[in-house]
Amino acid sequence: MNILVVDDEIEIADLIELYLTTNGYHVYKAYNGKDALKILEKRQISLAILDVMMPDIDGFTLCETIRKQYNFPIIMVTAKVQKMDKITGLTKGADDYITKPFEPLELVARVKAQLRRFTSYNNPKEEIIVIKDLIINPQNHTVTIKDQPINLTPTEFSILLILAKHKGTVVKTEKLFEEVWHEPYIPASNNTIMVHIRHLREKLNKKNDYYIKTIWGVGYEIE
């Protein structure tokens, strides 16, 4: 699989490349946003790792630009640790977020988790799910409402698929987080879920005004 690493710190980009290639991935490196976009035009990328602070196009803007055309997983890597920075990244379409300094093996684990989730959507055993005008096709990772395609990130699709599989049942926040992120739930995780749910609702509600219902203090349910 091809992974795009975008970081203006050459040492960091080289370190990430070393660990990813050791784990069998092919890495394309870019040290600014413009070069990253050129690589995307020429190469088939499976996942992108983006730094936030870059000289030409910042990582948030680059993430938003990528999301207009591609739905592969995006992991933000940055020295910024404020909660709003994380929320901004998730809102722009990132699937995960890790802060510098980071443990390279943790980053590799997150890469594997994101790719595992993304590729699992192509499992032919998964049947198409229909909920009113909403059609979810796990095999080709597509969502439509009234025959109009809805472009979702891998994380958004994963959340929607889990809720759809439990239609009519409240999925607890803890369960939803652990199934999507494959990490133990902590109270701070609730903010991450809320951001993705809000973003998911915005996309679904462009075509209709129902589907995901919040059960306060418990979790979420798809109607």
Side-chain angles (χ1 to χ4, degrees):
M1 290 186 177
N2 297 329
I3 296 180
L4 174 63
V5 176
V6 189
D7 197 314
D8 62 335
E9 295 185 65
I10 297 176
E11 296 81 3
I12 298 295
D14 288 347
L15 178 65
I16 295 174
E17 179 186 31
L18 174 63
Y19 276 83
L20 289 177
T21 53
T22 300
N23 281 271
Y25 300 108
H26 185 83
V27 175
Y28 291 95
K29 292 184 294 185
Y31 305 116
N32 58 68
K34 292 180 180 178
D35 287 345
L37 293 175
K38 290 179 181 178
I39 291 174
L40 286 172
E41 292 176 357
K42 299 176 181 178
R43 305 297 179 184
Q44 186 73 32
I45 299 299
S46 301
L47 180 145
I49 299 173
L50 311 180
D51 183 34
V52 170
M53 302 299 291
M54 291 188 291
D56 59 346
I57 304 173
D58 67 83
F60 293 143
T61 302
L62 180 58
C63 179
E64 193 171 32
T65 301
I66 291 173
R67 273 290 168 256
K68 292 178 181 178
Q69 188 173 353
Y70 305 96
N71 65 353
F72 53 70
I74 297 175
I75 299 175
M76 306 296 294
V77 182
T78 179
K80 303 178 72 121
V81 297
Q82 289 84 356
K83 183 183 294 185
M84 278 308 301
D85 292 322
K86 180 175 182 179
I87 292 175
T88 299
L90 296 175
T91 300
K92 296 296 184 181
D95 297 282
D96 203 354
Y97 197 105
I98 190 169
T99 57
K100 299 177 182 178
F102 58 87
E103 170 56 53
L105 290 177
E106 180 185 356
L107 178 59
V108 172
R110 289 174 182 263
V111 167
K112 290 181 177 179
Q114 290 295 331
L115 288 173
R116 184 167 56 248
R117 181 187 312 142
F118 187 59
T119 54
S120 69
Y121 300 147
N122 297 316
N123 184 352
K125 296 179 181 179
E126 299 263 19
E127 295 183 355
I128 293 175
I129 300 174
V130 180
I131 302 175
K132 299 180 181 178
D133 298 319
L134 173 67
I135 300 176
I136 305 169
N137 189 330
Q139 183 172 345
N140 58 18
H141 188 227
T142 60
V143 175
T144 61
I145 296 179
K146 295 182 178 178
D147 297 323
Q148 297 298 310
I150 308 298
N151 186 27
L152 302 182
T153 69
T155 299
E156 292 164 355
F157 186 89
S158 184
I159 291 172
L160 180 62
L161 185 60
I162 290 171
L163 293 176
K165 287 180 176 179
H166 295 84
K167 179 180 178 295
T169 303
V170 178
V171 179
K172 292 185 177 180
T173 303
E174 295 88 342
K175 176 181 173 63
L176 183 60
F177 180 85
E178 291 175 356
E179 284 198 21
V180 173
W181 277 270
H182 303 287
E183 297 178 3
Y185 176 86
I186 59 175
S189 304
N190 190 50
N191 290 327
T192 299
I193 292 180
M194 288 177 63
V195 170
H196 283 289
I197 289 288
R198 184 175 73 243
H199 212 203
L200 182 55
R201 274 201 184 108
E202 289 172 355
K203 294 181 178 182
L204 297 181
N205 289 353
K206 287 181 179 179
K207 304 298 179 184
N208 229 314
D209 58 357
Y210 53 84
Y211 294 122
I212 300 177
K213 180 180 180 182
T214 300
I215 310 299
W216 295 107
V218 182
Y220 301 91
E221 178 184 5
I222 196 162
E223 298 180 307

